[in-house]
Amino acid sequence: MNARREFTAQRFDYASFFFTGLTGGATFLILAILAIILGNILHNGWGAVSWRFITSGTQQDMFDVNKAGVLPMVFGTAARVILMTIFVVPIGVITAIYLTEYARHNSLSTRFTRGAVNNLAGVPSIVFGLFGLGFFIHFVGQNLDHFLRPTNAEPIWGKPAIIWASLTLAVMTLPVVIVTTEEALRAIPQGLREASLALGATKLQTIWRIVLPQALPGILTGGILSVSRAAGEVAPILMTGAAYYMASLPTSLADQFMDLGYHIFILSTQSPNIEQTRPILYGTVIVLLLLTFALNFVAILVRSRIRKQRRMLS
Amino acid sequence: MTESIVRKIPVASEVSERISPTVGTVLPIISTQDLSLYYGATQALKKIAFQINERVVTAFIGPSGCGKSTLLRCFNRMNDLIDNVRIEGVVEIAGQDINGKQVDVIELRKRVGMVFQRSNPFPKSIHENIAYALRLHGLTNKDALSEAVEKSLRQAALWDEVKDRLHASALGLSGGQQQRLCIARAIAIQPDIILMDEPASALDPLATSRIEELILDLKREFTIVIVTHNMQQAARVSDFTAFFYLGELIEYDSTRKIFTNPANRQTEDYVTGRFG
Amino acid sequence: MAARQAKRRCLAALIGQHDFNHLMQHTAPGENRTAGWMGIRRGHRARPLEWLVEKFIFLVSLSAILMIFLIFVFVGREALPIVFGRMNSSLVRKVIPPENLDQLTPRELRDYLELTEAQLGAMDRDTRKLLMELKVETAKDIPKDKDAAINTTSWRYLVFPYQWSDYERPVSIWQPISQIPKYNIAPLIIGSIKTTIIALLFSVPMAIGAAIFVSQLAPARVKEIVKPSVELLAGIPSVVLGFFALIVMASFLQSVGGYESRLNSFVAGIALGLAIIPVVFSIAEDALTSVPRSYTQAALALGSSRWQAAWHIVLPAALPGIFAAIVLGFGRAIGETMIVLMASGNASIVSWNGFDSTRTITATIAAEVMEAVVGGPHYRMLFMIGSLLFLVTFVSNLFGELFIHRLKSRLEGKAG
């Protein structure tokens, strides 16, 4: 019953030590795994990446270490990602604008739509691949063929093609783009909209000159991140357009294409001699990682740069 | 009870006739008849009928939730932005029913400016904040823009404080300066009426008194309607005062009369601080 | 009343004559403001361009939303014949003699020859007849087996084990490319669930532990390292994780564990776990940081240690968010394709042993859909399991959303 107490630690707090150690250990483990994966890939693959590796490969043997290159895959991946972006970004942003700025917020249809969009953002990519196959190739494509050249049996549009792969990816990323854009738009204070409207601006002027410039960093970051996710996606293009091998680069929207991710899959599962082709495999992995990380890096850069600009203004 | 309230609501003709001698030639610019407003099923305004005179300051007072801000937002149809709002009755500005089918709400808002409770400058430079408003109305010439920006900043008594940093962000200004910038922005497009929704409620006493001086200054050119919680403020700046309670207009008269000799018991209780 | 109206009209006239122009220096010459200043034109007549743009916005979003609903339609449409038992994969069919060609309606003919309308339309009468003769020929080659008469796409054979003629006991087997295609989905469902559970067991404790550490216990500098690193992990495409599991991890884990088959659901589950760590971590971390700091501060002020505050105060408050993280991680794991396609071994065996080679729903679709005949039983079966997957992930997302919603309302309710 001593009334005086010392403010020094009386005993070692084992529970605290244990708990902090456990959670900190989990954190460390995640970092370690990431380091091991990236380290292994860099260690084994860096030697394989050369200027020749990146700029050749159209006509050579794809399993020959000295001749194989990734140019057709880089081209195919870049082309499908760019096509997808052209489709998805304007449509996604416009839809998000409609949902946040025009649609009645609490009406049943808006809530239903928003729920469906939110939910689709988490649906597996393979399901979108099935959709692309069933809708774009066997419905749109075949009907297009039937309509354009009813007598010819050889399908042009009714088969896997880069356009269908891009559209499938666009449909897959559409919910993500809508959701991130909506979030960015909703983060703009209502007071700014009211201020603009009270000055006699029309709704469109308010959106164009006040809301969109403010929401731009959020929209861009969300957009670039979903593009980078789509760049590494293989499952949906497996059935809508990627080719095992092509002698030349695709020249039309109805051509198939070679793809970095799909090529990694082929090299790891169907190589005639896995030990011999290992350098090509690791090299391709590095190129794909560089591409997706570069996109992620750009997204982070855009975000921080616009934030900094804003801080300078204020 | 209800009857006595109804009796005390000044009929349009009464007000204009009664008030005319005291403030010189005044013209009613806003008038309402049987104005009721519903948010879904709840009625926020109950048959408001009165009129507001030109180039005077009219203050709306009353406890929170009495509908004074809602009424203010009826005058430039900002209530359109809220879902499930239904308006009955007539609001006329300069003799024109503003809820009428032929009225362009954009044109209306150009003529009826608004200053909000929380200052809301755009996250742009000070110059751009005002230029934005001017550009909306077709002014694009650079020199003319700078001139107009300076003019409205001077009018809002902000010029001397910001003339050296016109291109710095408006968000770097103090709260009082931001609010005066919002006023400058509102008057830049030369509206006829300025609606102020508790413009000084978030400001310190010094900034508040500067806003009040500004209001007194501006009333030479504009009709000002101000919603306030601060009775002293209403007494200091306004020529007429309307007291609202639970969506009803209880009393409307010259400010001096409301604060010295109110006709209604509820008004008296409120202005003397016995409730509210 | 009439007097009052007259008075109003008089007032309006007065204001109309009143000169507003002195207020408006920027008014273009000739643009006089009158009593009608609020415009007699509105909507599309006042601002036709804006009206057009707004209509365009509406149309674009309407079509985007329609597109989204089309997904439900087109994935489900292909699967419907199986779901309702309208498909028949039985090899023994009624053979129609070719002479009867003219007695058949086009629809009957189409069904009989298993053609699409377009294909049939492109054929002349002789081709049709030839096809019918071919049917008769093939009918002769059908094995005189009792299995050949079975419609293997009916629900009984999809779900329950069955003793096929060469087998000693009833089995559940997925074997779509064989003389008698067998479509039992049990091995695929077990494979998917088994692999997903391993992935969750591996990743959830780690991700949530890290989320607690980063959001509650760690200094700010650790946070600045961990969060971008997890973003980096999220940025690794799943095909790269699959490659890593197949080329590097599989041999390593086998040498450590000493189990028989190199590729199995354990390897796939670990790799899958790596893919969902970022998902679980970021949702859990969000939930934990959304608990107001005042809770922690109150607990600390009462003399509890940081971990006590985290364990007794923050974690219970954020619990719905943690559940959401797990549920959404589950949805992500069960739908992941490339990792399991590359690392699980792809043998459709009914086994709950984690070290057996296994095959999941997603890997089956990815591996087989390009080989399946469009519109045939195999093709429709793949769409059927695809719809099943769609349904499962959709429901799990729904629950995830529900948990997040509950977290929000709980925190708002408590704070307000």
Side-chain angles (χ1 to χ4, degrees):
Chain A
M1 291 297 274
N2 191 351
R4 251 188 84 211
R5 291 220 187 134
E6 298 289 333
F7 287 139
T8 49
Q10 297 292 311
R11 61 194 161 79
F12 186 69
D13 187 352
Y14 288 99
S16 178
F17 179 75
F18 177 73
F19 195 76
T20 312
L22 203 68
T23 54
T27 314
F28 177 75
L29 203 59
I30 293 177
L31 296 185
I33 290 172
L34 180 69
I36 289 172
I37 296 176
L38 295 182
N40 177 281
I41 290 171
L42 278 178
H43 176 75
N44 286 297
W46 194 246
V49 181
S50 65
W51 184 245
R52 185 203 58 75
F53 183 66
I54 295 172
T55 55
S56 69
T58 315
Q59 309 221 313
Q60 279 92 355
D61 179 4
M62 63 195 261
F63 291 122
D64 186 334
V65 181
N66 296 316
K67 288 184 187 157
V70 287
L71 181 69
M73 302 86 181
V74 173
F75 179 85
T77 305
R80 75 165 162 87
V81 165
I82 290 168
L83 275 174
M84 177 205 84
T85 313
I86 291 171
F87 292 126
V88 77
V89 170
I91 293 179
V93 171
I94 286 175
T95 308
I97 288 175
Y98 179 78
L99 284 177
T100 39
E101 308 287 334
Y102 287 96
R104 290 175 77 93
H105 276 258
N106 289 319
S107 76
L108 202 66
S109 59
T110 314
R111 268 161 45 195
F112 184 68
T113 308
R114 190 166 284 141
V117 170
N118 263 339
N119 245 320
L120 272 183
V123 163
S125 56
I126 187 101
V127 174
F128 286 98
L130 282 179
F131 169 71
L133 185 68
F135 178 68
F136 287 123
I137 297 178
H138 293 309
F139 182 77
V140 179
Q142 272 178 5
N143 281 327
L144 216 58
D145 274 337
H146 185 66
F147 181 71
L148 293 176
R149 27 218 305 282
T151 51
N152 201 326
E154 185 69 21
I156 285 202
W157 297 105
K159 63 174 179 47
I162 191 165
I163 177 87
W164 303 138
S166 308
L167 281 171
T168 305
L169 288 172
V171 174
M172 187 187 90
T173 20
L174 186 62
V176 186
V177 173
I178 293 177
V179 169
T180 49
T181 308
E182 264 200 284
E183 261 166 31
L185 291 175
R186 253 182 292 173
I188 311 302
Q190 195 61 25
L192 287 186
R193 294 188 181 89
E194 287 191 345
S196 175
L197 291 172
L199 288 171
T202 62
K203 203 159 189 169
L204 212 58
Q205 283 168 327
T206 304
I207 293 169
W208 185 248
R209 299 205 197 164
I210 302 292
V211 177
L212 275 184
Q214 277 295 102
L216 199 61
I219 297 174
L220 273 182
T221 338
I224 297 174
L225 285 178
S226 52
V227 165
S228 114
R229 191 192 139 199
E233 197 65 69
V234 179
I237 60 163
L238 204 71
M239 40 186 96
T240 52
Y244 179 82
Y245 177 73
M246 281 178 74
S248 58
L249 295 177
T251 51
S252 101
L253 290 178
D255 281 349
Q256 282 189 275
F257 62 99
M258 291 178 85
D259 182 82
L260 277 172
Y262 186 47
H263 199 63
I264 292 172
F265 171 68
I266 293 168
L267 286 170
S268 358
T269 56
Q270 285 157 43
S271 165
N273 184 339
I274 191 78
E275 283 309 317
Q276 245 173 35
T277 54
R278 187 179 287 260
I280 319 176
L281 175 55
Y282 270 97
T284 315
V285 168
I286 286 195
V287 173
L288 177 62
L289 279 185
L290 282 179
L291 192 78
T292 51
F293 284 172
L295 282 169
N296 278 313
F297 186 67
V298 169
I300 293 166
L301 213 66
V302 166
R303 191 164 52 182
S304 69
R305 200 178 145 183
I306 294 181
R307 264 190 204 153
K308 205 181 286 170
Q309 259 178 12
R310 226 176 254 172
R311 213 173 300 140
M312 295 233 307
L313 260 175
S314 59
Chain B
M1 177 74 179
T2 321
E3 261 181 31
S4 73
I5 293 166
V6 170
R7 203 156 37 77
K8 288 301 164 194
I9 294 173
V11 181
S13 55
E14 252 179 56
V15 171
S16 55
E17 276 160 21
R18 191 152 40 122
I19 290 160
S20 297
T22 51
V23 202
T25 44
V26 281
L27 295 161
I29 187 157
I30 305 176
S31 73
T32 70
Q33 272 146 40
D34 293 343
L35 176 67
S36 295
L37 182 141
Y38 302 84
Y39 290 118
T42 44
Q43 188 171 10
L45 294 177
K46 295 170 186 164
K47 302 225 170 213
I48 307 284
F50 76 135
Q51 51 193 42
I52 290 171
N53 295 319
E54 202 191 357
R55 289 197 215 179
V56 293
V57 179
T58 306
F60 290 179
I61 60 170
S64 300
C66 67
K68 51 195 193 307
S69 285
T70 305
L71 178 63
L72 195 73
R73 291 167 71 98
C74 283
F75 298 152
N76 66 347
R77 285 182 55 181
M78 286 304 270
N79 287 322
D80 289 11
L81 305 182
I82 305 164
D83 290 344
N84 291 329
V85 164
R86 190 160 51 85
I87 293 174
E88 285 169 2
V90 180
V91 183
E92 283 184 354
I93 292 183
Q96 199 170 353
D97 178 5
I98 62 163
N99 291 314
K101 274 220 181 318
Q102 83 287 2
V103 169
D104 185 1
V105 63
I106 304 304
E107 208 55 44
L108 168 71
R109 288 184 189 143
K110 287 180 188 174
R111 307 300 301 269
V112 184
M114 188 160 193
V115 176
F116 295 83
Q117 181 175 5
R118 292 178 60 183
S119 61
N120 49 7
F122 302 124
K124 301 169 180 249
S125 71
I126 295 167
H127 177 272
E128 274 305 303
N129 257 282
I130 297 170
Y132 172 76
L134 293 164
R135 281 202 201 99
L136 287 177
H137 300 274
L139 192 69
T140 48
N141 182 301
K142 243 184 164 180
D143 296 333
L145 268 179
S146 309
E147 208 177 291
V149 168
E150 182 181 337
K151 182 168 169 285
S152 55
L153 281 174
R154 278 189 194 283
Q155 241 180 330
L158 194 60
W159 175 251
D160 292 330
E161 292 160 58
V162 301
K163 64 183 176 202
D164 300 324
R165 46 169 177 157
L166 283 177
H167 295 281
S169 168
L171 300 179
L173 298 173
S174 72
Q177 286 172 326
Q178 285 192 8
Q179 195 59 294
R180 272 181 286 149
L181 177 65
C182 292
I183 295 175
R185 190 173 64 186
I187 59 182
I189 53 174
Q190 301 288 335
D192 301 323
I193 301 165
I194 303 174
L195 309 174
M196 296 186 174
D197 191 354
E198 302 186 36
S201 68
L203 303 179
D204 61 68
L206 198 68
T208 304
S209 74
R210 300 209 60 169
I211 299 272
E212 286 174 7
E213 280 166 32
L214 181 57
I215 291 170
L216 290 175
D217 209 33
L218 290 174
K219 86 172 179 186
R220 282 181 286 136
E221 280 191 44
F222 306 98
T223 305
I224 296 173
V225 186
I226 177 171
V227 166
T228 178
H229 262 121
N230 180 337
M231 244 90 61
Q232 284 76 31
Q233 185 171 66
R236 281 193 297 263
V237 301
S238 70
D239 302 305
F240 296 92
T241 298
F243 173 62
F244 294 87
Y245 186 60
L246 295 178
E248 284 180 84
L249 176 62
I250 307 294
E251 189 167 354
Y252 174 43
D253 215 320
S254 74
T255 299
R256 194 196 297 164
K257 176 124 194 321
I258 292 274
F259 281 92
T260 54
N261 186 21
N264 187 288
R265 180 70 196 278
Q266 275 176 304
T267 316
E268 193 180 344
D269 285 351
Y270 185 73
V271 297
T272 52
R274 239 168 273 166
F275 92 103
Chain C
M1 195 64 197
R4 199 160 147 192
Q5 268 179 353
K7 181 160 187 173
R8 268 207 290 149
R9 220 173 295 129
C10 184
L11 274 172
L14 248 169
I15 290 163
Q17 284 156 16
H18 187 75
D19 184 18
F20 284 104
N21 253 347
H22 69 283
L23 300 176
M24 191 68 186
Q25 271 80 13
H26 322 303
T27 315
E31 189 191 309
N32 279 327
R33 289 186 170 184
T34 60
W37 49 255
M38 281 177 294
I40 35 169
R41 296 193 304 174
R42 9 170 278 141
H44 64 279
R45 272 169 303 170
R47 281 168 281 271
L49 194 67
E50 291 204 358
W51 182 81
L52 267 177
V53 172
E54 284 182 352
K55 286 283 167 272
F56 176 74
I57 288 178
F58 176 70
L59 276 178
V60 168
S61 25
L62 190 73
S63 43
I65 289 161
L66 275 181
M67 196 73 196
I68 281 167
F69 286 108
L70 266 186
I71 297 173
F72 298 88
V73 176
F74 268 85
V75 175
R77 192 183 79 143
E78 301 285 350
L80 279 184
I82 301 255
V83 175
F84 292 122
R86 295 247 187 78
M87 202 75 198
N88 192 0
S89 71
S90 162
L91 298 175
V92 179
R93 297 281 170 77
K94 196 181 74 173
V95 174
I96 305 172
E99 299 80 54
N100 293 0
L101 174 62
D102 298 323
Q103 291 157 21
L104 293 172
T105 64
R107 199 187 163 77
E108 279 168 352
L109 188 65
R110 211 174 75 210
D111 291 344
Y112 178 63
L113 294 177
E114 291 166 15
L115 294 171
T116 64
E117 206 162 349
Q119 285 169 321
L120 193 72
M123 291 171 186
D124 56 17
R125 194 171 176 282
D126 289 343
T127 324
R128 292 176 188 180
K129 192 152 188 171
L130 203 70
L131 280 175
M132 291 188 74
E133 280 158 8
L134 213 65
K135 274 260 173 198
V136 179
E137 288 298 308
T138 45
K140 287 175 188 157
D141 295 340
I142 289 170
K144 300 282 171 278
D145 193 333
K146 72 173 170 66
D147 291 356
I150 292 173
N151 173 15
T152 53
T153 60
S154 63
W155 278 103
R156 190 246 166 274
Y157 300 96
L158 299 186
V159 184
F160 302 107
Y162 178 73
Q163 185 164 3
W164 304 93
S165 42
D166 296 343
Y167 289 79
E168 290 158 6
R169 57 191 170 82
V171 286
S172 296
I173 189 166
W174 173 273
Q175 204 179 69
I177 316 285
S178 79
Q179 193 163 39
I180 294 152
K182 306 173 188 74
Y183 302 109
N184 196 297
I185 55 179
L188 310 184
I189 291 177
I190 289 172
S192 276
I193 291 176
K194 190 169 65 170
T195 316
T196 303
I197 287 174
I198 292 169
L200 289 176
L201 286 178
F202 172 69
S203 64
V204 164
M206 203 158 47
I208 289 178
I212 294 172
F213 183 71
V214 166
S215 68
Q216 303 299 317
L217 306 168
R221 207 183 306 150
V222 174
K223 198 171 183 165
E224 275 166 31
I225 297 170
V226 176
K227 287 190 84 173
S229 302
V230 173
E231 268 181 49
L232 203 66
L233 187 58
I236 298 180
S238 64
V239 70
V240 173
L241 290 176
F243 139 83
F244 188 76
L246 174 68
I247 303 291
V248 183
M249 254 167 55
S251 305
F252 173 74
L253 289 175
Q254 192 184 26
S255 69
V256 173
Y259 42 80
E260 200 176 322
S261 51
R262 199 176 79 95
L263 298 179
N264 53 43
S265 60
F266 176 68
V267 176
I270 301 289
L272 206 51
L274 296 180
I276 62 171
I277 280 176
V279 180
V280 179
F281 173 83
S282 45
I283 298 170
E285 209 258 346
D286 264 2
L288 288 164
T289 25
S290 72
V291 176
R293 289 194 73 81
S294 55
Y295 288 21
T296 318
Q297 279 160 1
L300 292 180
L302 289 171
S304 63
S305 63
R306 289 199 79 88
W307 83 268
Q308 282 172 325
W311 185 255
H312 293 295
I313 309 294
V314 180
L315 202 60
L319 213 56
I322 308 272
F323 280 139
I326 297 172
V327 168
L328 293 174
F330 166 83
R332 175 80 204 279
I334 205 164
E336 181 51 62
T337 307
M338 294 318 287
I339 293 173
V340 289
L341 182 62
M342 293 162 88
S344 68
N346 286 326
S348 55
I349 309 168
V350 179
S351 154
W352 285 102
N353 185 341
F355 297 109
D356 277 340
S357 184
T358 192
R359 165 168 240 184
T360 66
I361 292 177
T362 50
T364 308
I365 298 174
E368 293 172 7
V369 74
M370 294 314 279
E371 270 83 59
V373 179
V374 176
H378 187 197
Y379 183 82
R380 293 198 188 284
M381 262 318 292
L382 292 173
F383 270 83
M384 213 284 279
I385 55 177
S387 310
L388 197 68
L389 189 67
F390 195 178
L391 207 72
V392 168
T393 47
F394 202 85
V395 170
S396 71
N397 289 345
L398 218 61
F399 274 100
E401 292 275 323
L402 208 72
F403 281 130
I404 288 177
H405 189 76
R406 183 170 298 172
L407 173 72
K408 275 185 190 157
S409 55
R410 179 194 268 200
L411 289 179
E412 277 160 15
K414 273 190 182 169

